[in-house]
Amino acid sequence: LAVIKIDAQDLKAATFGDSDLLNVGDWVLALGNALALKGGPTVTLGIVSARGRTVKTESAEDLYDMIQTDAAINDGNSGGPLVSLNGEVIGINTAILRQAQGIGFTVSSNVARPIIDSLIEHGRVVRPLIGLEGRDVTPALASRYDLRVNEGIIVTLMTRDGPAYRGGIRPGDIILKLDETPTPDMAKFLTLLWSYKVGDEVAVEYITDDETRMTNVELIERMAQ
C-alpha cells in the first residue's frame, strides 16, 4: 500500500466501511485498471465467497484474513477497491489464483486501515512485535500429537530476546487467547495482534507442558525488513 498526498481541493474521497460486517453472499464491486485496457477503469460485480482466507503468495509469504470474491479480478486490479453496494470500500484487491476461475482475494478494510493510518502519521508502517512464529492447531494436528485443544496457535519459532520469550513462552507452547479474546488460528491472532500499539502490555493465555498458564507480554516495535 502507498499513501499519496494530492495538492488539490474539493476532491470527493471514498469512504471506508467495516469489513467485519460483511457476510458471505453479500454483493460487491471490484474496481481497477484491469489489463491496462484503454477507456478507463473496469468494474466487475460478484459476491463475497468466503472470509478469513489465508493465501500463500509466489514469494512464499502468507496473507491472512483475506476476503474471497468471485467478482472478476485481473492483472491491473491490484490496489483497486472492493466496494459494497453502499459505496463503501471494504477491501483492496490483491491476489488471484491463476489456475482457478472466479477466485480473487482482497485485503479487508479493517486490516488495511491501520496500515494506511500509520503511513499518514509516521511515514512508515509501525507494527507491534511479539517475537514468535506459529501455525494453526487443527483437529488433525491435535490428534497426531495428542494435544488438549483443536484450535489455537502452536509456537514454531521465536527469538530469544523477544517479548514472548521474556514472558516465558517457548516453542511448542500453544497460544489460546490475547487479553481474553480467543486466537483459534493465525489469521485471528495476527489481526488481533496488529490492533495493539507498540508498548502495550498483552495478557497471553497459553498451554505449556499440558498446563494452562497466563503471562503478560509487552509488545515492541517490529523493525522494517
Side-chain angles (χ1 to χ4, degrees):
L1 295 175
V3 174
I4 300 174
K5 184 178 181 180
I6 301 174
D7 186 16
Q9 295 180 346
D10 300 323
L11 297 179
K12 194 168 184 178
T15 301
F16 278 85
D18 186 351
S19 56
D20 286 346
L21 300 180
L22 280 178
N23 294 307
V24 173
D26 285 351
W27 289 97
V28 288
L29 301 169
L31 286 72
N33 191 26
L35 304 179
L37 297 173
K38 292 183 178 180
T42 297
V43 180
T44 55
L45 176 68
I47 62 170
V48 174
S49 304
R51 294 183 52 196
R53 293 296 202 207
T54 298
V55 180
K56 188 174 290 292
T57 66
E58 293 177 352
S59 60
E61 295 182 26
D62 288 333
L63 302 176
Y64 296 100
D65 197 29
M66 303 289 283
I67 300 169
Q68 179 183 327
T69 179
D70 68 351
I73 295 176
N74 295 280
D75 291 341
N77 274 108
S78 294
L82 189 72
V83 182
S84 70
L85 294 190
N86 293 327
E88 296 178 325
V89 178
I90 44 80
I92 298 177
N93 304 325
T94 302
I96 58 174
L97 290 181
R98 298 190 185 279
Q99 70 272 27
Q101 292 184 353
I103 298 181
F105 301 96
T106 74
V107 175
S108 65
S109 60
N110 287 359
V111 169
R113 280 302 299 271
I115 297 173
I116 294 169
D117 292 342
S118 181
L119 287 171
I120 293 173
E121 182 177 356
H122 305 288
R124 58 192 175 89
V125 178
V126 177
R127 271 184 170 169
L129 176 75
I130 195 170
L132 62 83
E133 295 181 15
R135 61 177 295 191
D136 297 352
V137 174
T138 62
L141 196 66
S143 176
R144 180 178 179 182
Y145 293 103
D146 195 25
L147 303 178
R148 286 173 46 194
V149 293
N150 291 329
E151 291 184 336
I153 304 302
I154 186 166
V155 179
T156 58
L157 186 67
M158 60 193 317
T159 55
R160 287 185 174 271
D161 59 347
Y165 193 89
R166 292 196 296 268
I169 300 172
R170 296 293 184 267
D173 292 349
I174 300 173
I175 296 177
L176 304 176
K177 296 179 181 179
L178 298 181
D179 280 340
E180 297 299 322
T181 301
T183 55
D185 51 39
M186 283 298 296
K188 180 63 177 179
F189 175 79
L190 289 176
T191 301
L192 184 59
L193 176 66
W194 291 337
S195 69
Y196 291 100
K197 295 181 179 179
V198 175
D200 285 349
E201 189 172 271
V202 182
V204 181
E205 181 177 326
Y206 67 104
I207 296 175
T208 185
D209 296 329
D210 213 30
E211 177 185 347
T212 301
R213 296 182 184 179
M214 294 287 299
T215 187
N216 291 325
V217 175
E218 183 176 343
L219 304 177
I220 63 175
E221 183 176 345
R222 181 187 183 95
M223 304 308 294
Q225 296 179 347

